[in-house]
Amino acid sequence: MESEGQRSRAPAPVLVDITAYDVEVCVDFAMRCSRLRQYAGSGGWQGGLVSAMRLFGGIDVDGTHAGIVIGKVVEVAMCRLAGVNVDLALRDRGDGGTDLVLPCGVVQVKASRKAFQSRFVRDPIESVDWFVFGNWSGLSKSVSIDGYISHAAVSRIPLSWSPRGSWMNHEVPTWKLHPIRSLLKIRPIQDSL
């Protein structure tokens, strides 16, 4: 019998609905974030890996903001699923990898526009307990939360060059992910005693 996630097949994704307002909030966050960090034009920055696009709700974004919006919308969906507030605070150097804090520990949410067979964690790895992977096309009213993996498991995956060849990644096959709902059940040991 196959077991969902845990090395036999990818876990079933959990779909989380979002609203046009959620997208608007994420677009506003992306614009404020890029102004604060001065992404556009700094250090040879040409924009993110996502090109300009029209998003759910009819909002147009350019390539500088599209990737930030995609990531933030997936984070919003994960926060909704976990029942925690979204962090919209702006920090000069980002959130240090801490997208949300759950009873099980610190979580970094990794987003893509498609459900790829492998997901990437850039090296050096953020100092978090868990990585959650999700995807959102930019047009759908639902975000797919695809699963999670521990920091320790990611660190054991050999490094490979990024598709663009300028940095190293840990390439995480989706069959190594665990079902997202099991992450939400993990509690600190002191809560179990």
Side-chain angles (χ1 to χ4, degrees), residues 53-77:
M53 63 185 297
R54 174 160 286 175
L55 300 171
F56 174 67
I59 302 168
D60 292 319
V61 293
D62 64 20
T64 302
H65 300 105
I68 300 169
V69 175
I70 298 288
K72 201 64 172 179
V73 168
V74 173
E75 187 179 326
V76 164

Side-chain angles (χ1 to χ4, degrees), residues 8 15 20 22 28 32 37 41 52 55 59 70 82 95 97 107 120 128 131 136 139 161 168-170 175 178:
S8 59
L15 297 180
D22 292 330
D28 178 66
R32 291 183 301 119
R37 298 187 196 157
L55 300 171
I59 302 168
I70 298 288
D95 60 15
V107 175
F120 298 99
V128 297
F131 291 95
W136 181 57
L139 297 173
W161 284 104
M168 300 291 283
N169 288 321
H170 296 271
W175 57 265
H178 300 280

Side-chain angles (χ1 to χ4, degrees), residues 13-27:
V14 173
L15 297 180
V16 179
D17 285 342
I18 57 163
T19 66
Y21 178 74
D22 292 330
V23 177
E24 288 176 30
V25 167
C26 293
V27 168

Side-chain angles (χ1 to χ4, degrees), residues 173-188:
T174 56
W175 57 265
K176 284 193 175 193
L177 300 181
H178 300 280
I180 192 61
R181 293 205 190 272
S182 63
L183 178 69
L184 302 176
K185 295 176 184 175
I186 298 172
R187 297 290 180 254

Side-chain angles (χ1 to χ4, degrees), residues 7 110 115-125 131 133 149-164 167-177:
R7 306 200 191 294
K110 298 291 186 184
F116 296 106
Q117 293 300 308
S118 293
R119 306 301 171 87
F120 298 99
V121 176
R122 190 171 179 167
D123 192 65
I125 302 173
F131 291 95
F133 297 91
I149 191 169
S150 71
H151 180 280
V154 170
S155 66
R156 290 189 296 270
I157 296 171
L159 287 169
S160 59
W161 284 104
S162 72
R164 291 195 174 189
W167 64 83
M168 300 291 283
N169 288 321
H170 296 271
E171 187 174 346
V172 180
T174 56
W175 57 265
K176 284 193 175 193
L177 300 181

Side-chain angles (χ1 to χ4, degrees), residues 3-154:
S3 175
E4 182 180 25
Q6 305 175 22
R7 306 200 191 294
S8 59
R9 64 182 170 100
V14 173
L15 297 180
V16 179
D17 285 342
I18 57 163
T19 66
Y21 178 74
D22 292 330
V23 177
E24 288 176 30
V25 167
C26 293
V27 168
D28 178 66
F29 174 85
M31 292 177 152
R32 291 183 301 119
C33 184
S34 67
R35 277 194 304 270
L36 174 69
R37 298 187 196 157
Q38 299 175 352
Y39 286 134
S42 67
W45 174 261
Q46 300 288 317
L49 297 175
V50 181
S51 58
M53 63 185 297
R54 174 160 286 175
L55 300 171
F56 174 67
I59 302 168
D60 292 319
V61 293
D62 64 20
T64 302
H65 300 105
I68 300 169
V69 175
I70 298 288
K72 201 64 172 179
V73 168
V74 173
E75 187 179 326
V76 164
M78 181 57 205
C79 288
R80 185 162 292 143
L81 183 64
V84 299
N85 292 328
V86 178
D87 181 5
L88 295 170
L90 293 176
R91 298 169 188 87
D92 287 340
R93 297 181 181 268
D95 60 15
T98 302
D99 287 333
L100 61 145
V101 179
L102 298 175
C104 62
V106 177
V107 175
Q108 169 65 230
V109 178
K110 298 291 186 184
S112 63
R113 287 185 58 203
K114 298 177 184 176
F116 296 106
Q117 293 300 308
S118 293
R119 306 301 171 87
F120 298 99
V121 176
R122 190 171 179 167
D123 192 65
I125 302 173
E126 291 100 339
S127 294
V128 297
D129 300 307
W130 310 100
F131 291 95
V132 168
F133 297 91
N135 72 84
W136 181 57
S137 69
L139 297 173
S140 174
K141 70 172 191 162
S142 296
V143 172
S144 176
I145 304 297
D146 301 323
Y148 77 96
I149 191 169
S150 71
H151 180 280
V154 170

